[in-house]
Amino acid sequence: MEFKLRPWEIEDLSSLVKYANNPRIAANLTDGFPYPYTEENGRVFLERFTTASPTNVMCIEVNGEAAGAIGLHAQGDIMRKSMEMGYWLAEPYWGNGIITKAIAQMVDYGFQTFDVNRIFARPYGRNVASQRVLEKAGLKKEGHLRDAAFKNGEYDDLLVYGVIRSDIDN
């Protein structure tokens, strides 16, 4: 299925809210991603990520609509040369290979745009689909943190997947 990564635009508000307001999406993200996802949440998100330069959170556009997001988030202190990747995709587009390709594109973009050596993601242990797409996109499983997350009243494992610049350059 065709898609493109592009910067967010203020005009994306209605499709952002339409697709982000889904408990199955929120269940696989941090508590910083609210459910229900309101128009006000969308406005705050767009105000933040339409002004970032360089862009670190991209819109995943499918069929002319904002149907997801993928971003790289700077780390600090001793991890300042690392960025954490987060992503979500509208449920109607799950299983079409979009996220795998978007992850690979974002890794390339991240290494070309930012002065970092490592990009990583931390899917929940129960989110096997996210683990698979990370592996298909070339990230390697680096760790397994038992009961490291507390989401919706339950403990869950966090897995760590990463790629370093030399993995891509070789």
Side-chain angles (χ1 to χ4, degrees), residues 45-57:
F45 174 87
L46 290 172
E47 286 171 10
R48 180 174 178 195
F49 293 112
T50 55
T51 58
S53 182
T55 299
N56 68 305
V57 176

Side-chain angles (χ1 to χ4, degrees), residues 100 131-139:
T100 301
Q131 295 164 40
R132 282 193 196 125
V133 298
L134 289 163
E135 290 169 359
K136 286 181 187 175
L139 282 78

Side-chain angles (χ1 to χ4, degrees), residues 4-92:
K4 70 178 177 180
L5 297 185
R6 62 164 174 81
W8 283 93
E9 301 168 355
I10 296 297
E11 296 77 25
D12 292 324
L13 180 62
S14 63
S15 57
L16 169 61
V17 173
K18 174 173 101 174
Y19 290 123
N21 189 31
N22 181 330
R24 293 184 70 195
I25 290 172
N28 288 308
L29 299 174
T30 68
D31 288 344
F33 189 96
Y35 178 79
Y37 196 97
T38 66
E39 199 168 290
E40 180 59 24
N41 297 133
R43 272 195 212 92
V44 168
F45 174 87
L46 290 172
E47 286 171 10
R48 180 174 178 195
F49 293 112
T50 55
T51 58
S53 182
T55 299
N56 68 305
V57 176
M58 298 280 198
C59 171
I60 302 172
E61 182 182 301
V62 183
N63 295 328
E65 292 188 289
I70 187 164
L72 296 171
H73 304 280
Q75 305 297 291
D77 197 16
I78 61 170
M79 290 187 64
R80 65 187 166 274
K81 296 292 184 174
S82 295
M83 294 185 95
E84 183 173 9
M85 181 185 300
Y87 48 85
W88 66 270
L89 182 66
E91 189 171 359

Side-chain angles (χ1 to χ4, degrees), residues 61-130:
E61 182 182 301
V62 183
N63 295 328
E65 292 188 289
I70 187 164
L72 296 171
H73 304 280
Q75 305 297 291
D77 197 16
I78 61 170
M79 290 187 64
R80 65 187 166 274
K81 296 292 184 174
S82 295
M83 294 185 95
E84 183 173 9
M85 181 185 300
Y87 48 85
W88 66 270
L89 182 66
E91 189 171 359
Y93 303 114
W94 292 358
N96 289 296
I98 292 171
I99 283 292
T100 301
K101 292 175 187 167
I103 289 169
Q105 287 180 26
M106 199 64 174
V107 166
D108 288 343
Y109 172 81
F111 286 136
Q112 290 170 17
T113 307
F114 301 100
D115 180 23
V116 295
N117 187 56
R118 181 169 176 270
I119 295 173
F120 70 98
R122 294 179 300 163
Y124 295 114
R126 63 181 152 64
N127 192 346
V128 176
S130 192

